[in-house]
């Protein structure tokens, strides 16, 4: 295979998608990625974006090496990393259900302390919500990153809304009229916790907010609760 073809970059709506040839030596992959990133540096400029590696299974160490190449040779701020097909079918089903339910706002970046993101509809965030960051949505909220801040969901739709996050560690959640507070919130280190967290969803069942790993049983409870 020609050296120029072992790494391909494509800018999608919500991420930079990086295709890695599965048969090529990793050293050549790194060298080709360096060349490609250097070529597009001036064109892409200073942006915040998620990154997805695809077509090749890579180890954690290899992923770190590739991310280092991107960070040191571009002005891109990487807000989230999808790797090894991480966007699993279950989470895709949740995202698709949101798209079919009404207005959805996509936000890329980090919500820092003092930032407020508000929308009349559902919100999907590709990035982290830091302590002091606040999200308000009239419907549901999904955070594809660390949720360390505060989220108000169902401002209009009430308890049928839900809040999902890849790394659920909020200061406070409110769904409809129901509130849940974290008794001991500490900001998670996104580098250390990225590999072993599971997608969780907060939803109202009865008079309480439950937070559970996303799975078939939990989904059935949500559907029964909303029927």
């Amino acid at each position: 295979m020609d050296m120029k073809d072992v790494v391909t970059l494509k800018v999608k709506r919500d991420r930079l998608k990086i295709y890695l040839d599965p048969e090529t030596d990793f050293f050549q992959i790194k060298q080709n990625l360096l060349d490609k990133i250097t070529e597009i540096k001036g064109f892409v400029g200073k942006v915040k974006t998620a990154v997805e590696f695809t077509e090749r299974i890579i180890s954690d160490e290899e992923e770190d090496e590739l991310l280092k190449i991107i960070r040191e040779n571009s002005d891109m701020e990487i807000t989230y990393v999808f790797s090894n097909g991480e966007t699993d079918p279950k989470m895709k089903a949740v995202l698709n259900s949101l798209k079919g339910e009404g207005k959805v706002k996509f936000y890329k970046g980090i919500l820092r302390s003092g930032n407020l993101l508000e929308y009349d509809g559902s919100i999907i965030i590709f990035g982290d919500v830091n302590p002091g960051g606040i999200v308000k949505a009239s419907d549901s909220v999904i955070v594809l990153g660390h949720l360390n801040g505060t989220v108000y969901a169902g401002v209009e739709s009430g308890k049928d809304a839900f809040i999902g996050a890849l790394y659920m560690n909020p200061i406070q959640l409110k769904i409809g009229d129901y509130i849940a507070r974290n008794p001991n919130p500490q900001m998670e280190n996104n580098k250390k916790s990225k590999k072993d967290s599971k997608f969780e969803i907060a939803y109202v069942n009865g008079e309480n907010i439950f937070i559970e790993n996303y799975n078939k049983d939990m989904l059935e409870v949500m559907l029964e609760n909303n029927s």
Side-chain angles (χ1 to χ4, degrees), residues 134-156:
I134 299 176
V135 182
K136 291 184 177 180
S138 63
D139 211 323
S140 298
V141 175
I142 286 180
V143 179
L144 298 178
H146 286 77
L147 172 49
N148 291 304
T150 297
V151 176
Y152 302 101
V155 174
E156 298 293 335

Side-chain angles (χ1 to χ4, degrees), residues 31-198:
Q31 186 58 50
N32 199 207
L33 176 63
L34 172 59
D35 294 339
K36 295 290 179 68
I37 289 296
T38 303
E39 288 175 5
I40 68 169
K41 179 179 179 180
F43 172 74
V44 174
K46 190 173 183 179
V47 297
K48 295 180 179 179
T49 184
V51 170
E52 178 182 2
F53 296 109
T54 186
E55 302 296 324
R56 178 187 183 111
I57 302 298
I58 56 177
S59 67
D60 293 350
E61 290 74 18
E62 289 175 334
E63 181 180 288
D64 288 341
E65 289 186 56
L66 298 179
L67 293 174
K68 183 178 180 181
I69 289 173
I70 297 172
R71 291 190 175 105
E72 292 184 349
N73 297 280
S74 76
D75 295 320
M76 288 184 282
E77 181 179 335
I78 301 172
T79 56
Y80 186 75
V81 180
F82 297 88
S83 58
N84 301 331
E86 180 183 336
T87 311
D88 63 54
K90 291 180 294 186
M91 194 163 69
K92 284 183 177 179
V94 173
L95 297 176
N96 289 334
S97 69
L98 274 180
K99 293 176 183 176
E101 287 293 331
K103 296 187 298 182
V104 179
K105 181 181 181 64
F106 293 87
Y107 177 85
K108 292 186 294 183
I110 299 173
L111 279 182
R112 305 183 189 281
S113 178
N115 292 155
L116 168 64
L117 178 63
E118 191 169 10
Y119 186 65
D120 181 15
S122 295
I123 298 176
I124 298 176
I125 298 172
F126 295 88
D128 298 336
V129 180
N130 287 350
I134 299 176
V135 182
K136 291 184 177 180
S138 63
D139 211 323
S140 298
V141 175
I142 286 180
V143 179
L144 298 178
H146 286 77
L147 172 49
N148 291 304
T150 297
V151 176
Y152 302 101
V155 174
E156 298 293 335
S157 61
K159 69 176 185 179
D160 290 347
F162 63 86
I163 301 167
L166 283 173
Y167 317 101
M168 184 77 80
N169 183 45
I171 291 177
Q172 178 177 298
L173 301 178
K174 183 177 181 182
I175 302 175
D177 295 327
Y178 300 89
I179 298 175
R181 294 184 176 86
N182 189 338
N184 187 28
Q186 292 183 332
M187 186 171 176
E188 291 186 339
N189 184 316
N190 57 12
K191 185 68 176 178
K192 291 181 178 179
S193 60
K194 184 170 75 70
K195 303 299 181 184
D196 53 8
S197 297
K198 295 180 180 179

